[in-house]
Amino acid sequence: IMKLWKLTALGAIAMLGVVGCSNDHIIRTEDGQMIQSNEKPEIDEDTGMIEYEDEQGYDNQVKQSDVKEIIER
């Protein structure tokens, strides 16, 4: 019974770790758009644009000059 309890506790902690790592972010643009990103947006070194993954899982980019702020939810 003790081993089962330890495995259950370990599994719960692992699940919380996975859930805690996936933070949504909101990208607010200068023209007022609110874009939801499934993960933290990053700067693409090749293009200089901000790259993010949208709700459908597609990779997108937006110009840095068009972004007013990025908010973690």
Side-chain angles (χ1 to χ4, degrees):
I1 293 176
M2 193 60 136
K3 285 184 181 182
L4 180 60
W5 182 85
K6 287 181 181 179
L7 286 174
T8 303
L10 184 60
I13 291 169
M15 289 296 287
L16 287 174
V18 170
V19 171
C21 292
S22 60
N23 293 330
D24 290 342
H25 287 74
I26 302 294
I27 302 169
R28 189 167 76 158
T29 62
E30 291 290 343
D31 65 358
Q33 289 183 0
M34 303 289 265
I35 303 168
Q36 183 169 334
S37 173
N38 287 337
E39 53 191 36
K40 184 176 180 179
E42 297 179 353
I43 296 174
D44 184 323
E45 296 297 326
D46 296 330
T47 64
M49 298 177 75
I50 295 179
E51 187 172 60
Y52 65 95
E53 182 181 309
D54 66 17
E55 294 176 298
Q56 289 78 33
Y58 295 106
D59 290 331
N60 295 290
Q61 291 185 333
V62 63
K63 291 181 185 176
Q64 288 187 52
S65 60
D66 291 343
V67 174
K68 188 168 189 167
E69 68 179 329
I70 298 174
I71 307 164
E72 183 177 350
R73 286 184 27 172

